[in-house]
C-alpha cells in the first residue's frame, strides 16, 4: 500500500504538475500576449506622439521661417526707404551747396567787377593826372629854359671880393683859389 499510495501521490503530483505547467504556460502566453499588445499600443502611441511632435515642430519651424522672412522683408523695406530718404536729402543738400556756391561766386564776381571798375577809373584819373603833370612840367621846364636864355643869373650887384682888383688878396688862400677857379 505504501507503494500504491506513493504511486497515487506521484500520479496526483504529476497531474497537478501538468495542470500547473499548463496553467503557467497559458498564463505566460496570456501575459506575453498582453505585454505584446501593451508594447504595440505603447509603440503605436509613441509613434503617433513622435509624428505629432514632429509635425508640430515642423509647423513651428515653418511659422518661424515665415516670420523671419516677413521680418527680413520688413527690415529690408525700411532700410530701402531710409536709404532713399538719405539719398534724397543728400541730393537736396548737394543742390543747396551748389546754389550757395553759385550765389557766393556771383557775389564775389560782382564785387570783383565793381572793384575792377573803380580801379580802372582811378587808373584813368592817374593817367590823366600824369599826362597833365608831364605837360605842365614840360611847359614849366621850357619856360625856365627860355628864362635862362634871356636872363642873367648873376645878381645885379657884384660883391667886393669878386671885383678884379681885390681878387686873390684875401686872408684865406682857399677862398682865393675857389674864386680863381683853381683846385
Amino acid at each position: 500500500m505504501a507503494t500504491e499510495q506513493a504511486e497515487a501521490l506521484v500520479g496526483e503530483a504529476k497531474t497537478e504538475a501538468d495542470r500547473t505547467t499548463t496553467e503557467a504556460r497559458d498564463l505566460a502566453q496570456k501575459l506575453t500576449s498582453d505585454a505584446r499588445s501593451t508594447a504595440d499600443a505603447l509603440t503605436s502611441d509613441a509613434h503617433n506622439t513622435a509624428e505629432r511632435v514632429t509635425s508640430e515642430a515642423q509647423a513651428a519651424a515653418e511659422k518661424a521661417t515665415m516670420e523671419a522672412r516677413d521680418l527680413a522683408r520688413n527690415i529690408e523695406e525700411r532700410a530701402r526707404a531710409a536709404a532713399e530718404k538719405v539719398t534724397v536729402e543728400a541730393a537736396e543738400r548737394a543742390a543747396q551747396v551748389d546754389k550757395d556756391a553759385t550765389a557766393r561766386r556771383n557775389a564775389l564776381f560782382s564785387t570783383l567787377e565793381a572793384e575792377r571798375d573803380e580801379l580802372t577809373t582811378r587808373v584813368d584819373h592817374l593817367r590823366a593826372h600824369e599826362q597833365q603833370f608831364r605837360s605842365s612840367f614840360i611847359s614849366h621846364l621850357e619856360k625856365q629854359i627860355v628864362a635862362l636864355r634871356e636872363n642873367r643869373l648873376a645878381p645885379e650887384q657884384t660883391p667886393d671880393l669878386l671885383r678884379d682888383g681885390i681878387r686873390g688878396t684875401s686872408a684865406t688862400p682857399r677862398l682865393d683859389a675857389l674864386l680863381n677857379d683853381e683846385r
Side-chain angles (χ1 to χ4, degrees):
M1 278 244 319
T3 315
E4 283 183 17
Q5 278 185 347
E7 281 183 14
L9 277 174
V10 169
E12 279 179 27
K14 210 179 200 185
T15 305
E16 185 64 29
D18 286 343
R19 188 184 61 75
T20 303
T21 301
T22 302
E23 283 177 11
R25 197 177 292 132
D26 288 342
L27 184 62
Q29 283 178 350
K30 183 180 176 205
L31 287 176
T32 302
S33 175
D34 288 345
R36 259 195 201 117
S37 294
T38 304
D40 287 344
L42 287 175
T43 302
S44 177
D45 285 347
H47 182 69
N48 290 338
T49 302
E51 284 180 2
R52 183 180 50 80
V53 168
T54 301
S55 176
E56 288 173 0
Q58 190 172 5
E62 287 175 5
K63 181 181 176 185
T65 301
M66 291 302 290
E67 288 174 356
R69 282 185 186 147
D70 290 343
L71 180 62
R73 208 173 298 121
N74 188 3
I75 290 171
E76 184 179 358
E77 288 172 3
R78 282 189 281 153
R80 264 197 200 110
E84 288 176 16
K85 181 180 176 185
V86 168
T87 302
V88 167
E89 288 174 357
E92 289 172 354
R93 277 192 231 132
Q96 185 62 39
V97 167
D98 281 347
K99 183 180 174 184
D100 292 346
T102 300
R104 179 74 174 136
R105 185 187 67 211
N106 290 339
L108 285 174
F109 275 126
S110 295
T111 303
L112 289 173
E113 288 172 356
E115 288 177 8
R116 181 196 64 204
D117 292 344
E118 181 184 339
L119 289 174
T120 301
T121 302
R122 292 175 74 184
V123 167
D124 289 344
H125 285 117
L126 282 174
R127 285 184 180 149
H129 176 73
E130 178 190 15
Q131 185 63 34
Q132 184 181 11
F133 176 78
R134 284 178 186 232
S135 296
S136 174
F137 187 65
I138 290 171
S139 173
H140 177 70
L141 287 178
E142 286 173 351
K143 286 178 186 176
Q144 292 296 318
I145 290 171
V146 168
L148 285 174
R149 284 187 188 151
E150 294 176 358
N151 292 327
R152 251 181 94 197
L153 295 175
E156 301 211 7
Q157 292 180 356
T158 306
D160 291 340
L161 285 175
L162 291 179
R163 286 193 216 128
D164 283 334
I166 301 175
R167 205 180 261 184
T169 60
S170 73
T172 55
R174 180 70 188 139
L175 182 59
D176 292 337
L178 287 172
L179 289 172
N180 294 325
D181 288 326
E182 297 173 4
R183 302 233 174 204

